[in-house]
Amino acid sequence: MKTIRIGTRGSKLALWQANHVAACLEQAGLPTEIVIITTTGDLVLDRSLDKIGSKGVFTEELEQSLRTGHIDIAVHSAKDVQSSIPDDLELLAFMKRERVNDVIVSYADTLDLHRPDLVLGTSSTRRKAMLKRFYPNATTAEARGNLQTRLRKLEEGQYHGLVLAYAGVHRMQYDSLIRYILPEVQFVPAAGQGSVAIECARSLEPELKFDLRRILDHTPTHLCLLAERAFLRTMEGGCSIPSFALAKLHTDGLLQLHAGLISLDGQQYIEEKMMASDAQQAEAMGTKLAESVLSRGGRQILDDIRSHRTES
């Protein structure tokens, strides 16, 4: 029987995700092998994500390995996957989503989010902008590197707290460090946050793709991410722009999308909610919502961001 070669980054969190995928496949009778691949995002740690200049900083090398057949599938944090996938590749599955919230972690027993000298570490453009809007007293500091590296910097006192995705903190069993769970209705997460994405080459054997999708894909999560990623794709942005998108599938079958864009200084905040009566219209809803946000001032925000980066 064919051994499924699973490509992944080498961080502990990435390996947790890859091992989770491997366990699901092996439980279904498919043997696996994990292949560790270093990406640009792992190597370039002295610059913020928005200044590296590559849309696929955490995925490009994995995708090249899919093309050469070095690996059969690539495992990504869904929020790291660029908005547009190359034509010769496809997103095969989205695994069941973890809790979507952003959280603030700290080694201090208590953390006053309103203290005037508060320093919070984050590498996310979206989180920096939202902190400026909702906690203007806070100063943000760059926090690149894997989760353990960032926690070491936190323990050394470089920040009072770190803003992270709950999913990664929970999967790495650092729940005891969580001091605040930021409400998702205010700190709306990035598109795809909390889910694991499975990517493959379109040329992968159809029978194998069918089995992989059957074992790994979670239909409600997949529908939600179709809407979120359609929004992101229409905004022509990835993890380097301060956009946000969260879709929820209700028990009555309705799909709701809450998404928008925030300026770098946090002053301009454009958000919108839409409902689709048919979950199969997920992508159309994501596109429509993005077009509305762009027409309401989002296009100017994006132009200002690009101009700012050119100047800096």
Side-chain angles (χ1 to χ4, degrees):
M1 184 178 292
K2 178 181 173 64
T3 296
I4 309 302
R5 290 162 298 175
I6 302 170
T8 178
R9 297 165 60 204
S11 71
K12 288 185 178 180
L13 179 56
L15 287 170
W16 182 97
Q17 294 175 165
N19 281 302
H20 177 58
V21 170
C24 292
L25 294 177
E26 290 179 2
Q27 187 175 19
L30 296 178
T32 66
E33 174 191 351
I34 291 178
V35 180
I36 297 175
I37 296 170
T38 302
T39 69
T40 301
D42 298 312
L43 293 173
V44 183
L45 299 176
D46 60 346
R47 282 175 282 165
S48 60
L49 290 175
D50 60 307
K51 290 184 172 62
I52 294 178
S54 173
K55 290 185 177 180
V57 294
F58 294 119
T59 61
E60 190 172 350
E61 288 79 6
L62 286 158
E63 291 182 332
Q64 187 55 32
S65 293
L66 288 172
R67 293 187 176 100
T68 62
H70 182 53
I71 58 175
D72 298 302
I73 58 175
V75 177
H76 311 291
S77 292
K79 67 180 178 61
D80 291 337
V81 179
Q82 63 267 39
S83 54
S84 296
I85 300 298
D87 292 340
D88 59 339
L89 305 175
E90 65 178 290
L91 290 175
L92 184 68
F94 293 106
M95 301 186 76
K96 187 175 182 180
R97 198 172 214 169
E98 182 56 83
R99 188 170 185 172
V100 300
N101 302 70
D102 286 328
V103 297
I104 298 178
V105 302
S106 178
Y107 283 102
D109 292 334
T110 59
L111 184 64
D112 180 7
L113 293 187
H114 299 286
R115 58 184 290 178
D117 61 343
L118 181 67
V119 178
L120 295 175
T122 177
S123 59
S124 162
T125 306
R126 173 187 60 85
R127 290 175 183 143
K128 290 175 186 175
M130 286 190 167
L131 287 169
K132 287 179 180 178
R133 182 172 184 84
F134 298 115
Y135 294 96
N137 58 295
T139 299
T140 59
E142 194 65 30
R144 291 291 315 283
N146 62 43
L147 179 56
Q148 286 70 29
T149 298
R150 283 179 278 176
L151 287 173
R152 175 179 53 77
K153 292 177 180 179
L154 174 65
E155 195 169 17
E156 291 171 351
Q158 294 189 31
Y159 330 103
H160 295 110
L162 286 170
V163 189
L164 302 166
Y166 171 86
V169 175
H170 177 64
R171 288 165 179 162
M172 290 289 94
Q173 301 181 349
Y174 289 115
D175 301 67
S176 63
L177 297 180
I178 296 175
R179 298 294 172 260
Y180 295 95
I181 297 178
L182 297 168
E184 65 199 58
V185 294
Q186 183 184 66
F187 267 75
V188 187
Q193 185 160 303
S195 180
V196 174
I198 311 299
E199 189 178 18
C200 71
R202 287 197 180 276
S203 58
L204 191 67
E205 300 93 321
E207 298 83 358
L208 180 54
K209 283 200 282 189
F210 176 84
D211 286 339
L212 293 171
R213 186 180 291 112
R214 173 179 56 82
I215 296 166
L216 300 174
D217 194 47
H218 183 248
T219 300
T221 299
H222 200 135
L223 287 170
C224 289
L225 265 67
L226 284 178
E228 294 171 17
R229 287 183 54 76
F231 168 82
L232 190 65
R233 187 164 55 249
T234 308
M235 298 293 291
E236 297 184 355
C239 58
S240 63
I241 69 165
S243 67
F244 49 90
L246 177 62
K248 291 184 177 181
L249 184 62
H250 297 286
T251 54
D252 58 4
L254 292 176
L255 186 68
Q256 182 186 50
L257 177 62
H258 180 190
L261 184 68
I262 182 171
S263 60
L264 294 178
D265 62 5
Q267 295 301 305
Q268 297 168 272
Y269 187 84
I270 304 171
E271 64 177 337
E272 194 160 327
K273 294 179 181 179
M274 284 188 181
M275 299 283 289
S277 57
D278 180 357
Q280 298 305 317
Q281 298 300 312
E283 290 189 276
M285 176 175 62
T287 300
K288 183 178 179 181
L289 196 153
E291 289 171 345
S292 178
V293 168
L294 288 171
S295 69
R296 291 175 51 209
R299 189 168 283 105
Q300 183 60 51
I301 291 176
L302 292 178
D303 288 344
D304 291 344
I305 290 172
R306 294 185 184 106
S307 175
H308 171 80
R309 287 176 182 164
T310 300
E311 293 170 1
S312 60

